[in-house]
Amino acid sequence: MANSNLPRRIIKETQRLLSEPAPGISASPSEDNMRYFNVMILGPTQSPYEGGVFKLELFLPEEYPMAAPKVRFLTKIYHPNIDKLGRICLDILKDKWSPALQIRTVLLSIQALLSAPNPDDPLSDNIAKHWKTNEAEAVETAKEWTRLYASGA
Amino acid sequence: MDSEDDMHDANDVESQDDFYSGDTGVASDYDDGGGYEEEEEDDGDYCFGDHESDDSEDITSHRQQQNYTILGEVDICQRQDDDISMVSTVLSISRVGASILLRHYNWSVSKVHDAWFADEESVRRTVGLLEKPVNRPLNAGELTCGICFENYPRNRMNSASCGHQFCNACWRGYIGTSINDGPGCLMLRCPDPSCGAAIGQDMINLLATDEDKEKYNRYLLRSYIEDNKKTKWCPAPGCEFAVEFAAGDGSYDVSCTCSYNFCWNCTEEAHRPVDCSTVSKWILKNSAESENMNWILANSKPCPKCKRPIEKNQGCMHITCSPPCKFEFCWLCLGAWSDHGERTGGFYSCNRYETAKQEGVYDEAERRREMAKNSLERYTHYYERWATNQASRQKALSDLQQMQTVQLEKLSDKQSQPESQLKFITEAWLQIVECRRVLKWTYAYGYYLPEHETAKKQFFEYLQGEAEAGLERLHKCAEKELQVFLDAETPSKDFNEFRTKLAGLTSVTRNYFENLVRALENGLEDVNQGSCSKTPGGKSGKNKGGKTKDGGGSKSGLDDPSCWSCRCSPANPRSKKTCGQCNGHRP
Ligand SMILES: [Zn+2]
Ligand SMILES: [Zn+2]
Ligand SMILES: [Zn+2]
Ligand SMILES: [Zn+2]
Ligand SMILES: [Zn+2]
Ligand SMILES: [Zn+2]
Ligand SMILES: [Zn+2]
């Protein structure tokens, strides 16, 4: 890809992500495409995802930073705001995006979403329904999935 | 057209039945004959069962009060500008701030004022009009742009009222992205995620590309119409006029400068006398039934006599089969034309679906009975007539255009008449177009008239039949009789006579249809009130009883065989000898 004329902003963001990573988050660009990032997020403590290691992919479109990065979970996760394709329902990835936000802020927001699922703004209807009718059971399923799919082997 | 046809027409005006003979002194007949209190009724009146004298105030307000204004682009800009100036002056804020406020409150000056004076601080916060900058960068020579992370000298950076600095290139990109995303750009905020400061037109003008500025201006203008509850765009394709509507109790009909007529309330094409909910029901019904309806829309039917396919290419329903057959028939019911509008042989009109069904007069009815259930058949009857009038109206519209662009000039040449003397033809065609529209909607009206209200239904069908017959007369005169003068080689001495006839028909038809619309909008109250034997002051208190004019009130008064001794005659088909309402007899 055209890594040669990568905007200064992306280079700076990448450098900073590598030199001062946010706690529980790692993001590194792929070797052949500097706009494609391999991301890992540790499940936050006190959440059903605790102990899990979640893989994501993040892509910076041509219009970035005027347009939001594209982010998706690669690891299976049981969460009302994440669907089975790993797509994430998060306002700053859509209409609340601002070019003054960064990759780091996006990933921190996703980490926060794992701590605080929001079944009232669901992406996955079934999971959200489960969450609202029987939260304890839904949390158990989320823990189960974390053990099954995100045990970081 | 063949000569028989024309002869048939020529006699029509004189022999018209009473409901259309309002051209000369009919009103005075009432004065001496019936002795009803007549009010300043100057338009011809032809035994139509209305109660004009009771409602005359309503009527004048209907006709004169125009409760809307058509706005062109210049007017729109002017109004928007005036509103912005007003808010800016009253609140002592910048014009840009006033514009942002107005947009937020859907361009309602009074809502802006109310909100502002109730709680200025909270309004400022929600809208993003900051009084003081929240961010004061150190007075360094260079700053880092929060979007591209480059360093720039102060003079290449800009900020909104909040003070968050971004470089000019990033601003241009930020604004451009938002403008290309749509009208949301009118609510643009500072790129800093923690900041809600509004980005107004001053920033756009300073930082956007020319193309984006132009787009922003369009959105701002459109918003003034689209977000304002009192204004709408004219729905005609390609029309750029807007309409401002003032609430009132007049009708919703709006006539745009582009000549399109539409209903303000539902933005469908104008549909008086039918109300908006009936229209939407009807449109929904049509789309649901459209699969079944396809076969009906076919433009050709077999001649009822010789069975050759006939294509209808003129707007009028009177069809003459080509020689040698030359059978004259009605396009709608395929009945012989001689049965239509005949004084003898009973009242018969192609709108009389019930009659036709009962008597099983036409083959098509037979066929349909076999192939469809009763409800579809009933719907089909109304739909077909609705659609035929719609098509007829479209045809009349294009004829009108053809008339205005080509034919009038030609006619002016052939008949040595100045074009200014030919306005009556344009007027006739405009009237035809309007009447086709009304008539079309009367079929939706008829479809939804409750089956059990027999008297009402009967009355309705009678009025509709008269309307239809009258319109056919006018349409034929404007179409076929005019053709003779267009084809003529030399000026015809009959032209002035033709002028009188067509102008007369136009005015009579206009009056009839205006009355019809009013009667239907009134829900045909006259019928409910049983006007012949009723006590004065019925439930509405509006109808003072017995006001319905004598249905037979023609020039010859009581001697006319169609005249009833009672006053409920409009509800009685002329074929009957006994009144269905009060058992009175025809003299
Ligand atoms: Zn700001
Ligand atoms: Zn910049
Ligand atoms: Zn228009
Ligand atoms: Zn309407
Ligand atoms: Zn024939
Ligand atoms: Zn007919
Ligand atoms: Zn009677």
Side-chain angles (χ1 to χ4, degrees):
Chain A
M1 295 293 274
N3 289 340
S4 49
N5 53 11
L6 207 60
R8 173 92 159 270
R9 154 148 181 173
I10 297 181
I11 296 167
K12 283 200 170 182
E13 271 200 78
T14 309
Q15 284 170 352
R16 208 173 143 230
L17 278 168
L18 296 170
S19 60
E20 337 161 13
I25 295 174
S26 88
S28 51
S30 118
E31 274 173 23
D32 52 343
N33 184 353
M34 293 288 286
R35 287 178 176 270
Y36 183 91
F37 289 75
N38 294 300
V39 179
M40 304 246 247
I41 296 181
L42 300 182
T45 49
Q46 315 271 300
S47 82
Y49 312 101
E50 186 172 356
V53 179
F54 295 88
K55 278 192 193 171
L56 296 87
E57 60 178 4
L58 182 148
F59 179 72
L60 304 176
E62 195 57 44
E63 306 79 33
Y64 183 82
M66 292 308 163
K70 311 238 176 277
V71 200
R72 179 171 90 90
F73 271 83
L74 296 173
T75 306
K76 250 181 105 147
I77 181 167
Y78 198 77
H79 189 290
N81 308 107
I82 299 163
D83 72 5
K84 58 174 180 245
L85 297 176
R87 293 175 301 192
I88 306 160
C89 180
L90 188 63
D91 57 358
I92 60 160
L93 290 177
K94 294 168 190 165
D95 55 319
K96 289 286 179 347
W97 171 254
S98 154
L101 292 167
Q102 301 179 22
I103 299 172
R104 171 187 300 268
T105 35
V106 167
L107 296 178
L108 284 168
S109 299
I110 293 172
Q111 195 183 39
L113 190 66
L114 295 186
S115 294
N118 177 12
D120 291 320
D121 181 21
L123 193 59
S124 166
D125 276 338
N126 288 338
I127 302 178
K129 208 178 285 168
H130 194 190
W131 223 273
K132 285 172 103 167
T133 51
N134 190 345
E135 191 175 334
E137 195 186 285
V139 165
E140 272 316 306
T141 312
K143 282 183 181 167
E144 173 87 26
W145 282 35
T146 304
R147 267 196 303 280
L148 279 172
Y149 307 111
S151 55
Chain B
M1 294 307 107
D2 58 75
S3 56
E4 236 179 57
D5 208 8
D6 294 328
M7 297 252 290
H8 185 94
D9 291 337
N11 296 327
D12 269 3
V13 171
E14 279 74 42
S15 67
Q16 268 166 34
D17 38 36
D18 31 278
F19 274 53
Y20 270 96
S21 62
D23 45 352
T24 50
V26 175
S28 63
D29 283 347
Y30 287 122
D31 286 345
D32 37 46
Y36 311 126
E37 9 163 338
E38 288 290 333
E39 308 195 2
E40 31 63 68
E41 245 164 58
D42 47 353
D43 34 339
D45 189 2
Y46 18 91
C47 315
F48 191 79
D50 58 354
H51 34 245
E52 258 178 89
S53 29
D54 302 293
D55 282 351
S56 55
E57 271 174 44
D58 281 8
I59 289 155
T60 35
S61 65
H62 245 319
R63 281 183 189 162
Q64 285 164 8
Q65 169 205 77
Q66 183 180 302
N67 41 3
Y68 62 86
T69 317
I70 306 290
L71 306 171
E73 189 169 329
V74 175
D75 311 306
I76 300 169
C77 292
Q78 185 61 52
R79 275 160 192 256
Q80 190 171 30
D81 216 56
D82 291 350
D83 287 354
I84 291 171
S85 300
M86 158 91 89
V87 168
S88 162
T89 309
V90 174
L91 308 187
S92 308
I93 56 173
S94 70
R95 288 180 54 86
V96 171
S99 172
I100 289 168
L101 272 174
L102 277 162
R103 169 62 198 88
H104 193 90
Y105 289 95
N106 293 330
W107 303 98
S108 161
V109 173
S110 63
K111 281 206 183 111
V112 168
H113 287 172
D114 290 352
W116 186 268
F117 293 118
D119 189 349
E120 176 181 331
E121 205 185 318
S122 118
V123 170
R124 280 182 177 278
R125 221 179 310 119
T126 17
V127 174
L129 285 181
L130 312 185
E131 258 177 313
K132 282 187 232 117
V134 292
N135 182 49
R136 289 180 185 282
L138 303 164
N139 228 349
E142 277 201 342
L143 289 172
T144 305
C145 167
I147 295 177
C148 63
F149 295 0
E150 305 277 354
N151 292 334
Y152 289 102
R154 287 292 295 266
N155 63 2
R156 289 184 57 191
M157 304 195 73
N158 257 297
S159 73
S161 55
C162 55
H164 293 117
Q165 301 285 333
F166 301 96
C167 79
N168 292 352
C170 286
W171 271 115
R172 193 170 305 118
Y174 181 65
I175 291 171
T177 305
S178 168
I179 289 174
N180 285 300
D181 262 5
C185 63
L186 300 177
M187 310 275 225
L188 193 60
R189 307 290 178 122
C190 167
D192 188 294
S194 66
C195 173
I199 308 300
Q201 198 167 16
D202 50 346
M203 294 286 284
I204 309 292
N205 287 340
L206 191 65
L207 297 158
T209 64
D210 286 347
E211 194 191 338
D212 287 342
K213 281 181 212 170
E214 178 56 33
K215 281 189 193 160
Y216 187 90
N217 280 330
R218 297 304 309 169
Y219 281 130
L220 199 62
L221 186 85
R222 275 178 50 185
S223 164
Y224 186 71
I225 298 301
E226 290 164 25
D227 295 315
N228 191 330
K229 286 197 172 57
K230 289 186 295 187
T231 52
K232 281 177 190 171
W233 293 111
C234 165
C239 176
E240 291 185 348
F241 287 103
V243 180
E244 182 187 55
F245 196 86
D249 40 30
S251 90
Y252 281 125
D253 279 10
V254 169
S255 181
C256 179
T257 310
C258 74
S259 88
Y260 186 71
N261 294 324
F262 66 98
C263 167
W264 165 266
N265 195 37
C266 67
T267 65
E268 291 294 340
E269 197 179 1
H271 52 67
R272 286 185 73 197
V274 176
D275 62 26
C276 301
S277 66
T278 306
V279 170
S280 71
K281 257 195 300 187
W282 180 252
I283 289 173
L284 197 71
K285 173 95 184 149
N286 291 350
S287 62
E289 299 281 357
S290 62
E291 293 292 295
N292 299 323
M293 284 298 113
N294 284 337
W295 59 277
I296 283 169
L297 290 171
N299 262 324
S300 88
K301 291 184 182 182
C303 163
K305 203 170 169 192
C306 70
K307 306 295 175 203
R308 270 187 303 171
I310 303 247
E311 209 171 300
K312 180 168 172 291
N313 52 13
Q314 291 196 296
C316 152
M317 305 299 166
H318 180 176
I319 304 293
T320 307
C321 184
S322 49
C325 170
K326 292 214 279 185
F327 182 63
E328 291 179 49
F329 63 99
C330 163
W331 175 260
L332 287 178
C333 65
L334 299 178
W337 190 255
S338 54
D339 290 344
H340 287 70
E342 278 283 299
R343 312 211 82 193
T344 55
F347 180 76
Y348 180 84
S349 166
C350 50
N351 73 322
R352 301 294 311 275
Y353 163 74
E354 290 298 336
T355 316
K357 200 176 91 172
Q358 277 154 24
E359 296 169 2
V361 281
Y362 45 94
D363 290 343
E364 207 160 350
E366 303 266 353
R367 216 180 76 220
R368 282 182 197 164
R369 218 188 321 277
E370 283 170 16
M371 69 181 286
K373 283 219 179 298
N374 200 23
S375 67
L376 176 62
E377 194 184 325
R378 182 170 172 274
Y379 167 70
T380 301
H381 166 85
Y382 288 99
Y383 180 77
E384 188 178 19
R385 279 149 184 79
W386 182 85
T388 310
N389 276 293
Q390 163 76 351
S392 235
R393 181 174 181 275
Q394 289 311 117
K395 175 74 168 53
L397 261 176
S398 71
D399 285 351
L400 169 63
Q401 212 168 22
Q402 173 76 4
M403 204 59 77
Q404 286 169 320
T405 51
V406 187
Q407 304 284 63
L408 284 186
E409 204 184 330
K410 192 174 152 199
L411 190 66
S412 162
D413 260 17
K414 293 227 165 154
Q415 299 296 331
S416 322
Q417 298 271 347
E419 278 197 51
S420 60
Q421 293 292 301
L422 299 175
K423 283 211 184 79
F424 72 100
I425 295 174
T426 310
E427 272 163 28
W429 279 97
L430 282 169
Q431 195 57 47
I432 291 169
V433 169
E434 167 65 6
C435 290
R436 285 285 171 214
R437 189 189 65 68
V438 171
L439 199 54
K440 172 179 99 171
W441 285 112
T442 63
Y443 282 103
Y445 190 98
Y447 181 76
Y448 290 109
L449 253 186
E451 285 285 337
H452 62 271
E453 299 202 41
T454 326
K456 225 178 221 190
K457 245 181 128 59
Q458 215 175 15
F459 185 33
F460 165 74
E461 281 176 7
Y462 174 76
L463 296 179
Q464 191 187 43
E466 290 293 299
E468 195 144 41
L471 175 55
E472 285 304 324
R473 207 143 36 213
L474 173 63
H475 205 157
K476 195 157 144 189
C477 182
E479 195 172 57
K480 295 180 180 164
E481 293 178 42
L482 176 67
Q483 195 59 44
V484 177
F485 297 100
L486 275 166
D487 295 342
E489 291 305 319
T490 53
S492 160
K493 60 177 173 23
D494 298 334
F495 190 74
N496 279 335
E497 208 175 299
F498 170 72
R499 180 206 315 276
T500 312
K501 180 180 172 185
L502 186 60
L505 281 176
T506 305
S507 129
V508 164
T509 311
R510 175 187 303 122
N511 287 332
Y512 187 89
F513 271 79
E514 277 175 9
N515 287 339
L516 175 71
V517 164
R518 234 174 289 132
L520 298 188
E521 279 179 339
N522 264 340
L524 297 170
E525 290 233 324
D526 286 11
V527 182
N528 269 354
Q529 314 256 329
S531 33
C532 46
S533 60
K534 69 175 308 300
T535 27
K539 69 164 195 269
S540 71
K542 254 162 82 184
N543 189 334
K544 297 194 185 68
K547 284 288 183 164
T548 311
K549 272 135 207 164
D550 204 323
S554 71
K555 285 169 224 172
S556 45
L558 286 173
D559 292 336
D560 191 288
S562 64
C563 207
W564 293 76
S565 54
C566 64
R567 289 172 189 165
C568 32
S569 38
N572 293 312
R574 240 163 298 172
S575 55
K576 294 198 178 161
K577 287 288 174 205
T578 314
C579 172
Q581 311 275 308
C582 70
N583 290 326
H585 283 270
R586 233 191 253 252

